[in-house]
Amino acid sequence: MAVFPSKPFRSSSAQNGIAARYRVLLNRHPFLLFGLPFVTTMVAGSFFLTPATAMRFEKHDRKVRQLSKEEALGIGKDRRKVDMKEEYYRLAAKDLDDWEQKRVKRLPGEHDGLL
């Protein structure tokens, strides 16, 4: 059997190009030409994405603050006390076998699912 060389064939134009020089330099200095740009991209991305993350949390805080203002206005004032035993007996007393399926009215422009 013939022994094939482990070195891949590259034409003369591929050996003289920028890619060939980069490949040779990459073998000599792998961190400088591959690792350092990668780490720099990760650190720069972290700094550039920080304001976007801050906006996301600020938006969430605004939603929570609005809900607490509405609660302060009295949305939950007239709630009845819930007793688990009372709810159980109330639901057990209902006739669950006699029911009729009803369609919910759709909003204008909303697809109703009928063909």
Side-chain angles (χ1 to χ4, degrees):
M1 263 205 205
V3 177
F4 295 104
S6 63
K7 192 173 184 181
F9 173 75
R10 293 192 176 95
S11 65
S12 61
S13 63
Q15 289 177 352
N16 297 330
I18 296 172
R21 279 186 260 147
Y22 180 76
R23 198 177 313 113
V24 170
L25 288 173
L26 186 63
N27 286 336
R28 289 187 197 153
H29 312 287
F31 178 76
L32 186 64
L33 295 174
F34 185 77
L36 188 61
F38 179 76
V39 171
T40 304
T41 303
M42 292 296 117
V43 171
S46 172
F47 281 109
F48 286 121
L49 290 176
T50 300
T53 306
M55 282 180 15
R56 178 175 159 239
F57 285 115
E58 288 170 4
K59 182 179 177 184
H60 175 70
D61 290 342
R62 269 187 261 124
K63 283 184 181 178
V64 171
R65 190 174 307 126
Q66 286 175 354
L67 183 62
S68 64
K69 285 180 184 178
E70 291 173 359
E71 286 178 353
L73 291 175
I75 288 178
K77 283 185 181 177
D78 298 328
R79 287 194 170 171
R80 65 180 178 93
K81 296 277 187 178
V82 177
D83 182 26
M84 292 300 285
K85 286 184 180 180
E86 180 184 328
E87 289 296 316
Y88 173 77
Y89 290 122
R90 188 175 65 82
L91 291 173
K94 286 188 174 185
D95 184 20
L96 298 179
D97 294 329
D98 185 29
W99 60 276
E100 182 180 335
Q101 183 174 359
K102 296 181 181 177
R103 288 189 58 82
V104 176
K105 188 171 182 175
R106 305 291 189 218
L107 295 173
E110 186 179 6
H111 180 67
D112 63 350
L114 294 176
L115 297 177

